[in-house]
Amino acid sequence: METTRYDVVIIGGGAAGLSAATTLSRALRPVLVIDSGAPRNAPATGVHGYLSRDGMSPGELLSIGRSEVLSYGGTVIDGEAVSARRAADGFEVMLGDARRFSARRLLVTTGLTDGLPPIDGLQEQWGKGVVHCPYCHGWEIRGKRIGVLGTGPMSVHQALMFRQWSPNITLFLNDTVDPTNEEWDKLRARSVTVVDGAVASVDAVDGVLTGLTLRQGSSFDIQALAVSTRMEARSALVESLGLSTQVHPMGVGRFIETDLTGATAVQGVYAAGNVSNLMAQVITAAAEGVMAGARINADLIEEETRWAVEGIPRTP
């Protein structure tokens, strides 16, 4: 099968990937975006904290982003990139349907997956009654009875954060969280209710969250539930290039390490967005995509300048 060649192949068509593609296309670079169609924020009703786009649905934001890439001559396709390998003149990317594309540089913007505890009803409420980020969802649930599900070392911090949006916060330790003496003092000082015992289920009526139930039988009336997920970079493709994920310093998951411009430890391979910054909101991911796109373009210019100096014809 014939391999189509680009200056840059971007794996992942979210905010980071499309922003990078727009930047590179405006720099007159042949760019391909490969998108598997599984954005992390698909369950959310709207994007928040994105200047001029607040409340826009994630799908609409990506649709506009695709149109902008196409308007500057970039290419966007649907498909799943399953592996990549180093080639003599760059990289070759293989898709699940056997299509192949080559590129001088690769940008990985595959995002992350949110690991939720195996609690009945939790997955069904994800992105609706169950939320994770106060800056993404705090305004929408302000003043409500908010529960915080204990999942790990960030749960006490999460409870104290959501306290800014409501005086009615209950931290469910879920047989997982053991606050330090200092954390207990903070929780008491901020009037955060603390409930011991493992959580058995997240309860809903007609799709609307109504509360949760402990294994020992007690039920609690809450209107929203905050959960710190286990965030894992979608890293299968970069692992095929010899890169591996690193444990996040805050213990919240694993990510691909890069420098400030998105360069990874593998020359010619870059990463941006949630795959390398687990905490990034949509606007942050978009900004990192712009930064990575500019860095890649500068890298290519340096290479082409070297070719010109050495009298080497530019690779088509």
Side-chain angles (χ1 to χ4, degrees):
M1 180 175 292
E2 184 178 352
T3 301
T4 306
R5 183 168 177 77
Y6 295 87
D7 274 359
V8 185
V9 166
I10 300 171
I11 301 101
L18 293 174
S19 293
T22 301
T23 299
L24 287 160
S25 296
R26 283 175 54 85
L28 310 179
R29 295 290 178 188
V31 175
L32 170 68
V33 178
I34 302 169
D35 184 26
S36 64
R40 175 196 185 192
N41 61 356
T45 57
V47 171
H48 296 289
Y50 201 129
L51 187 64
S52 82
R53 296 293 183 265
D54 193 76
M56 177 179 286
S57 74
E60 184 181 2
L61 181 69
L62 297 184
S63 176
I64 292 172
R66 279 192 172 206
S67 296
E68 290 178 356
V69 173
L70 297 175
S71 72
Y72 291 112
T75 303
V76 182
I77 64 171
D78 296 319
E80 183 177 3
V82 295
S83 65
R85 67 179 182 87
R86 176 80 67 177
D89 53 357
F91 301 90
E92 186 176 57
V93 179
M94 284 69 73
L95 273 60
D97 58 9
R99 284 180 291 175
R100 295 172 181 264
F101 301 95
S102 69
R104 294 165 61 192
R105 302 291 185 272
L106 292 183
L107 174 58
V108 180
T109 58
T110 45
L112 60 79
T113 57
D114 289 289
L116 292 169
I119 294 174
D120 287 348
L122 187 61
Q123 183 67 56
E124 290 78 5
Q125 282 293 314
W126 179 240
K128 295 182 288 186
V130 175
V131 301
H132 68 102
C133 168
Y135 297 105
C136 302
H137 310 287
W139 174 266
E140 284 65 37
I141 60 175
R142 66 194 185 281
K144 293 186 177 182
R145 296 183 299 278
I146 302 172
V148 177
L149 178 66
T151 60
M154 293 300 294
S155 295
V156 171
H157 171 74
Q158 189 176 43
L160 294 170
M161 289 289 289
F162 272 97
R163 177 62 178 80
Q164 171 64 22
W165 282 264
S166 174
N168 302 303
I169 304 295
T170 301
L171 171 61
F172 296 91
L173 298 180
N174 192 33
D175 286 356
T176 301
V177 179
D178 184 16
T180 64
N181 289 336
E182 182 182 1
E183 288 173 332
W184 276 115
D185 289 342
K186 291 178 178 179
L187 292 167
R188 282 191 290 267
R190 294 291 283 161
S191 301
V192 175
T193 302
V194 180
V195 174
D196 203 358
V199 175
S201 66
V202 174
D203 308 321
V205 175
D206 296 329
V208 178
L209 185 145
T210 57
L212 58 73
T213 302
L214 302 184
R215 287 181 188 170
Q216 46 89 341
S218 299
S219 294
F220 295 83
D221 179 18
I222 59 173
Q223 297 169 290
L225 182 65
V227 180
S228 289
T229 64
R230 175 73 181 179
M231 297 179 283
E232 298 283 345
R234 292 172 175 155
S235 59
L237 186 125
V238 293
E239 287 172 2
S240 70
L241 291 165
L243 277 171
S244 59
T245 57
Q246 306 297 316
V247 176
H248 194 277
M250 298 174 69
V252 295
R254 299 184 69 90
F255 69 106
I256 297 170
E257 192 169 17
T258 69
D259 70 10
L260 293 177
T261 63
T264 72
V266 174
Q267 187 173 2
V269 179
Y270 298 79
N274 281 142
V275 73
S276 55
N277 182 356
L278 301 181
M279 305 296 190
Q281 292 181 257
V282 177
I283 194 168
T284 309
E288 291 180 354
V290 172
M291 176 69 76
R295 167 65 190 274
I296 291 170
N297 185 57
D299 186 19
L300 292 170
I301 289 171
E302 289 178 6
E303 182 176 71
E304 290 157 4
T305 302
R306 178 175 56 80
W307 289 346
V309 170
E310 297 175 1
I312 301 172
R314 176 174 172 171
T315 304

